[in-house]
Tab-separated table of all heavy atoms in Angstrom:
chain	number	residue	atom	x	y	z
A	1	ARG	N	0.848	-1.191	-0.021
A	1	ARG	CA	-0.012	0.005	-0.011
A	1	ARG	C	0.869	1.234	0.006
A	1	ARG	O	1.978	1.273	0.623
A	1	ARG	CB	-0.916	0.002	1.207
A	1	ARG	CG	-1.878	-1.123	1.221
A	1	ARG	CD	-2.974	-0.936	2.233
A	1	ARG	NE	-3.811	-2.105	2.396
A	1	ARG	CZ	-4.878	-2.348	1.614
A	1	ARG	NH1	-5.209	-1.549	0.678
A	1	ARG	NH2	-5.555	-3.458	1.811
A	2	GLN	N	0.406	2.263	-0.655
A	2	GLN	CA	1.172	3.526	-0.679
A	2	GLN	C	0.689	4.374	0.516
A	2	GLN	O	-0.480	4.334	0.877
A	2	GLN	CB	0.933	4.285	-1.969
A	2	GLN	CG	1.568	3.554	-3.185
A	2	GLN	CD	1.184	4.165	-4.507
A	2	GLN	OE1	0.047	4.447	-4.758
A	2	GLN	NE2	2.200	4.388	-5.321
A	3	PRO	N	1.592	5.112	1.141
A	3	PRO	CA	1.237	5.915	2.283
A	3	PRO	C	0.076	6.858	1.975
A	3	PRO	O	0.021	7.506	0.932
A	3	PRO	CB	2.521	6.747	2.592
A	3	PRO	CG	3.614	5.947	1.973
A	3	PRO	CD	3.004	5.236	0.799
A	4	GLY	N	-0.894	6.862	2.890
A	4	GLY	CA	-2.063	7.749	2.762
A	4	GLY	C	-3.124	7.268	1.768
A	4	GLY	O	-4.069	7.941	1.528
A	5	ARG	N	-2.909	6.049	1.200
A	5	ARG	CA	-3.848	5.523	0.257
A	5	ARG	C	-4.233	4.116	0.625
A	5	ARG	O	-3.507	3.436	1.390
A	5	ARG	CB	-3.243	5.556	-1.131
A	5	ARG	CG	-2.872	6.979	-1.590
A	5	ARG	CD	-2.206	7.018	-2.943
A	5	ARG	NE	-3.241	6.662	-3.957
A	5	ARG	CZ	-2.944	6.472	-5.237
A	5	ARG	NH1	-1.683	6.524	-5.638
A	5	ARG	NH2	-3.869	6.178	-6.087
A	6	THR	N	-5.330	3.636	0.050
A	6	THR	CA	-5.724	2.247	0.339
A	6	THR	C	-5.561	1.333	-0.893
A	6	THR	O	-6.206	0.346	-0.985
A	6	THR	CB	-7.221	2.210	0.772
A	6	THR	OG1	-8.028	2.794	-0.253
A	6	THR	CG2	-7.417	2.934	2.087
A	7	ASN	N	-4.705	1.765	-1.779
A	7	ASN	CA	-4.527	1.002	-3.007
A	7	ASN	C	-3.532	-0.134	-2.837
A	7	ASN	O	-2.645	-0.075	-1.980
A	7	ASN	CB	-4.067	1.906	-4.152
A	7	ASN	CG	-2.714	2.529	-3.920
A	7	ASN	OD1	-2.238	2.601	-2.805
A	7	ASN	ND2	-2.100	2.999	-4.949
A	8	GLY	N	-3.691	-1.159	-3.694
A	8	GLY	CA	-2.684	-2.230	-3.726
A	8	GLY	C	-2.748	-3.224	-2.646
A	8	GLY	O	-3.426	-3.036	-1.628
A	9	GLY	N	-2.103	-4.318	-2.851
A	9	GLY	CA	-1.820	-5.294	-1.857
A	9	GLY	C	-2.905	-6.181	-1.326
A	9	GLY	O	-3.985	-5.714	-1.046
A	10	GLN	N	-2.586	-7.442	-1.260
A	10	GLN	CA	-3.419	-8.470	-0.591
A	10	GLN	C	-2.411	-9.353	0.089
A	10	GLN	O	-2.083	-10.447	-0.375
A	10	GLN	CB	-4.216	-9.232	-1.608
A	10	GLN	CG	-5.364	-8.448	-2.220
A	10	GLN	CD	-6.455	-8.205	-1.218
A	10	GLN	OE1	-6.708	-8.983	-0.322
A	10	GLN	NE2	-7.077	-7.038	-1.345
A	11	GLU	N	-1.840	-8.875	1.218
A	11	GLU	CA	-0.814	-9.581	1.902
A	11	GLU	C	-1.225	-11.026	2.259
A	11	GLU	O	-0.478	-12.002	2.097
A	11	GLU	CB	-0.365	-8.868	3.172
A	11	GLU	CG	0.549	-7.713	2.843
A	11	GLU	CD	1.209	-7.166	4.154
A	11	GLU	OE1	1.001	-7.704	5.274
A	11	GLU	OE2	1.918	-6.161	4.020
A	12	THR	N	-2.450	-11.167	2.795
A	12	THR	CA	-2.903	-12.497	3.223
A	12	THR	C	-2.999	-13.427	2.024
A	12	THR	O	-2.540	-14.599	2.063
A	12	THR	CB	-4.228	-12.429	3.992
A	12	THR	OG1	-4.055	-11.600	5.141
A	12	THR	CG2	-4.664	-13.794	4.441
A	13	ASN	N	-3.554	-12.977	0.908
A	13	ASN	CA	-3.664	-13.806	-0.305
A	13	ASN	C	-2.281	-14.249	-0.737
A	13	ASN	O	-2.058	-15.426	-1.055
A	13	ASN	CB	-4.338	-13.045	-1.435
A	13	ASN	CG	-5.800	-12.793	-1.190
A	13	ASN	OD1	-6.289	-12.963	-0.136
A	13	ASN	ND2	-6.466	-12.341	-2.229
A	14	CYS	N	-1.303	-13.311	-0.754
A	14	CYS	CA	0.047	-13.643	-1.172
A	14	CYS	C	0.678	-14.641	-0.210
A	14	CYS	O	1.307	-15.645	-0.677
A	14	CYS	CB	0.891	-12.367	-1.206
A	14	CYS	SG	0.456	-11.212	-2.540
A	15	ARG	N	0.526	-14.421	1.058
A	15	ARG	CA	1.130	-15.311	2.067
A	15	ARG	C	0.623	-16.715	2.030
A	15	ARG	O	1.396	-17.707	1.947
A	15	ARG	CB	0.946	-14.712	3.450
A	15	ARG	CG	1.615	-15.437	4.597
A	15	ARG	CD	1.553	-14.625	5.892
A	15	ARG	NE	0.183	-14.380	6.288
A	15	ARG	CZ	-0.561	-15.248	7.003
A	15	ARG	NH1	-0.071	-16.401	7.372
A	15	ARG	NH2	-1.802	-14.925	7.329
A	16	ILE	N	-0.692	-16.874	1.975
A	16	ILE	CA	-1.307	-18.194	2.010
A	16	ILE	C	-1.073	-18.914	0.678
A	16	ILE	O	-0.779	-20.117	0.647
A	16	ILE	CB	-2.805	-18.113	2.351
A	16	ILE	CG1	-3.024	-17.511	3.726
A	16	ILE	CG2	-3.467	-19.480	2.222
A	16	ILE	CD1	-2.358	-18.269	4.871
A	17	ASN	N	-1.188	-18.182	-0.432
A	17	ASN	CA	-0.903	-18.786	-1.709
A	17	ASN	C	0.542	-19.311	-1.806
A	17	ASN	O	0.783	-20.419	-2.278
A	17	ASN	CB	-1.214	-17.856	-2.874
A	17	ASN	CG	-1.030	-18.479	-4.209
A	17	ASN	OD1	0.098	-18.764	-4.646
A	17	ASN	ND2	-2.121	-18.674	-4.953
A	18	ALA	N	1.504	-18.527	-1.336
A	18	ALA	CA	2.926	-18.882	-1.341
A	18	ALA	C	3.136	-20.149	-0.463
A	18	ALA	O	3.931	-21.018	-0.820
A	18	ALA	CB	3.802	-17.757	-0.914
A	19	LEU	N	2.495	-20.200	0.678
A	19	LEU	CA	2.596	-21.386	1.554
A	19	LEU	C	2.005	-22.591	0.880
A	19	LEU	O	2.594	-23.704	0.935
A	19	LEU	CB	1.910	-21.120	2.905
A	19	LEU	CG	2.653	-20.107	3.813
A	19	LEU	CD1	1.708	-19.659	4.933
A	19	LEU	CD2	3.893	-20.728	4.351
A	20	ALA	N	0.879	-22.431	0.221
A	20	ALA	CA	0.227	-23.554	-0.511
A	20	ALA	C	1.152	-23.994	-1.634
A	20	ALA	O	1.285	-25.194	-1.899
A	20	ALA	CB	-1.139	-23.113	-1.060
A	21	ASN	N	1.768	-23.075	-2.327
A	21	ASN	CA	2.717	-23.383	-3.398
A	21	ASN	C	3.846	-24.268	-2.851
A	21	ASN	O	4.194	-25.282	-3.501
A	21	ASN	CB	3.271	-22.107	-3.976
A	21	ASN	CG	4.256	-22.390	-5.111
A	21	ASN	OD1	3.846	-22.669	-6.233
A	21	ASN	ND2	5.575	-22.288	-4.845
A	22	GLN	N	4.379	-23.943	-1.706
A	22	GLN	CA	5.452	-24.739	-1.135
A	22	GLN	C	4.991	-26.170	-0.844
A	22	GLN	O	5.718	-27.172	-1.141
A	22	GLN	CB	5.923	-24.163	0.221
A	22	GLN	CG	6.693	-22.889	0.060
A	22	GLN	CD	7.067	-22.294	1.442
A	22	GLN	OE1	6.644	-22.790	2.476
A	22	GLN	NE2	7.804	-21.202	1.388
A	23	ILE	N	3.827	-26.298	-0.246
A	23	ILE	CA	3.282	-27.653	0.071
A	23	ILE	C	3.053	-28.446	-1.211
A	23	ILE	O	3.411	-29.595	-1.322
A	23	ILE	CB	1.965	-27.540	0.885
A	23	ILE	CG1	2.192	-26.833	2.218
A	23	ILE	CG2	1.293	-28.880	1.036
A	23	ILE	CD1	3.096	-27.527	3.187
A	24	LEU	N	2.348	-27.844	-2.171
A	24	LEU	CA	2.049	-28.575	-3.427
A	24	LEU	C	3.315	-28.895	-4.215
A	24	LEU	O	3.417	-29.972	-4.791
A	24	LEU	CB	1.048	-27.701	-4.251
A	24	LEU	CG	-0.318	-27.517	-3.604
A	24	LEU	CD1	-1.122	-26.460	-4.380
A	24	LEU	CD2	-1.066	-28.848	-3.446
A	25	ASP	N	4.277	-28.001	-4.191
A	25	ASP	CA	5.535	-28.240	-4.891
A	25	ASP	C	6.280	-29.373	-4.306
A	25	ASP	O	6.992	-30.127	-5.014
A	25	ASP	CB	6.389	-26.976	-4.925
A	25	ASP	CG	7.583	-27.108	-5.792
A	25	ASP	OD1	7.476	-27.547	-6.950
A	25	ASP	OD2	8.670	-26.709	-5.388
A	26	SER	N	6.122	-29.595	-2.983
A	26	SER	CA	6.834	-30.728	-2.318
A	26	SER	C	6.023	-32.016	-2.390
A	26	SER	O	6.413	-33.020	-1.762
A	26	SER	CB	7.166	-30.337	-0.892
A	26	SER	OG	5.965	-30.259	-0.123
A	27	GLY	N	4.908	-31.996	-3.062
A	27	GLY	CA	4.099	-33.244	-3.229
A	27	GLY	C	3.002	-33.367	-2.166
A	27	GLY	O	2.333	-34.395	-2.135
A	28	GLY	N	2.789	-32.362	-1.332
A	28	GLY	CA	1.758	-32.453	-0.317
A	28	GLY	C	0.362	-32.291	-0.913
A	28	GLY	O	0.239	-31.763	-2.023
A	29	ASN	N	-0.653	-32.670	-0.130
A	29	ASN	CA	-2.019	-32.551	-0.578
A	29	ASN	C	-2.761	-31.628	0.428
A	29	ASN	O	-2.792	-31.901	1.640
A	29	ASN	CB	-2.734	-33.909	-0.568
A	29	ASN	CG	-2.148	-34.804	-1.676
A	29	ASN	OD1	-2.115	-34.433	-2.843
A	29	ASN	ND2	-1.751	-35.981	-1.297
A	30	LEU	N	-3.357	-30.604	-0.097
A	30	LEU	CA	-4.175	-29.685	0.711
A	30	LEU	C	-5.643	-29.874	0.404
A	30	LEU	O	-6.024	-30.100	-0.770
A	30	LEU	CB	-3.810	-28.250	0.374
A	30	LEU	CG	-2.441	-27.759	0.875
A	30	LEU	CD1	-2.093	-26.449	0.200
A	30	LEU	CD2	-2.466	-27.637	2.382
A	31	ASN	N	-6.478	-29.814	1.437
A	31	ASN	CA	-7.921	-29.808	1.314
A	31	ASN	C	-8.565	-28.575	1.874
A	31	ASN	O	-7.954	-27.911	2.745
A	31	ASN	CB	-8.506	-31.037	2.022
A	31	ASN	CG	-8.098	-32.361	1.420
A	31	ASN	OD1	-8.300	-32.570	0.216
A	31	ASN	ND2	-7.490	-33.236	2.216
A	32	ILE	N	-9.732	-28.274	1.408
A	32	ILE	CA	-10.536	-27.139	1.927
A	32	ILE	C	-11.782	-27.692	2.583
A	32	ILE	O	-12.519	-28.499	1.969
A	32	ILE	CB	-10.938	-26.157	0.802
A	32	ILE	CG1	-9.697	-25.472	0.247
A	32	ILE	CG2	-11.906	-25.138	1.276
A	32	ILE	CD1	-9.030	-24.468	1.102
A	33	TRP	N	-12.021	-27.258	3.787
A	33	TRP	CA	-13.254	-27.568	4.545
A	33	TRP	C	-13.996	-26.249	4.715
A	33	TRP	O	-13.382	-25.186	4.872
A	33	TRP	CB	-12.884	-28.089	5.938
A	33	TRP	CG	-12.201	-29.415	5.954
A	33	TRP	CD1	-10.893	-29.679	5.594
A	33	TRP	CD2	-12.715	-30.645	6.385
A	33	TRP	NE1	-10.633	-30.978	5.747
A	33	TRP	CE2	-11.737	-31.660	6.223
A	33	TRP	CE3	-13.981	-31.030	6.849
A	33	TRP	CZ2	-11.950	-32.991	6.566
A	33	TRP	CZ3	-14.171	-32.384	7.176
A	33	TRP	CH2	-13.176	-33.316	6.996
A	34	VAL	N	-15.334	-26.300	4.698
A	34	VAL	CA	-16.096	-25.068	4.837
A	34	VAL	C	-17.281	-25.227	5.797
A	34	VAL	O	-17.751	-26.357	5.996
A	34	VAL	CB	-16.660	-24.584	3.436
A	34	VAL	CG1	-15.541	-24.228	2.506
A	34	VAL	CG2	-17.585	-25.621	2.833
A	35	ARG	N	-17.675	-24.141	6.344
A	35	ARG	CA	-18.902	-24.059	7.151
A	35	ARG	C	-19.549	-22.704	6.816
A	35	ARG	O	-18.920	-21.642	6.995
A	35	ARG	CB	-18.560	-24.105	8.642
A	35	ARG	CG	-19.819	-24.109	9.510
A	35	ARG	CD	-19.555	-24.352	10.936
A	35	ARG	NE	-19.178	-23.102	11.613
A	35	ARG	CZ	-18.501	-23.003	12.724
A	35	ARG	NH1	-18.091	-24.054	13.392
A	35	ARG	NH2	-18.271	-21.842	13.283
A	36	THR	N	-20.728	-22.751	6.332
A	36	THR	CA	-21.422	-21.488	5.956
A	36	THR	C	-22.021	-20.844	7.204
A	36	THR	O	-22.418	-21.523	8.173
A	36	THR	CB	-22.500	-21.720	4.887
A	36	THR	OG1	-23.482	-22.608	5.387
A	36	THR	CG2	-21.899	-22.277	3.595
A	37	THR	N	-22.031	-19.517	7.166
A	37	THR	CA	-22.651	-18.743	8.218
A	37	THR	C	-23.297	-17.512	7.591
A	37	THR	O	-22.999	-17.184	6.413
A	37	THR	CB	-21.629	-18.209	9.250
A	37	THR	OG1	-20.762	-17.273	8.618
A	37	THR	CG2	-20.814	-19.266	9.893
A	38	LEU	N	-24.098	-16.818	8.314
A	38	LEU	CA	-24.551	-15.524	7.854
A	38	LEU	C	-23.357	-14.579	7.900
A	38	LEU	O	-22.482	-14.738	8.737
A	38	LEU	CB	-25.664	-14.994	8.796
A	38	LEU	CG	-26.985	-15.753	8.748
A	38	LEU	CD1	-27.927	-15.249	9.841
A	38	LEU	CD2	-27.610	-15.664	7.374
């Protein structure tokens, strides 16, 4: 993000995707579980 602005960046998306990339690249298997709420 640029100072004084709300533009750019999705740190959490980048962090979790990069971690998933590491797991998948090493042959690991990831699953997604969900629970819906209001």
Side-chain angles (χ1 to χ4, degrees):
R1 295 193 189 274
Q2 292 174 313
R5 301 179 69 190
T6 58
N7 63 341
Q10 290 289 328
E11 283 191 4
T12 301
N13 290 12
C14 292
R15 184 170 59 84
I16 299 301
N17 183 291
L19 289 165
N21 181 78
Q22 288 175 356
I23 297 296
L24 295 169
D25 188 47
S26 69
N29 293 306
L30 290 166
N31 292 307
I32 294 289
W33 295 73
V34 297
R35 183 172 86 198
T36 60
T37 66
L38 292 172

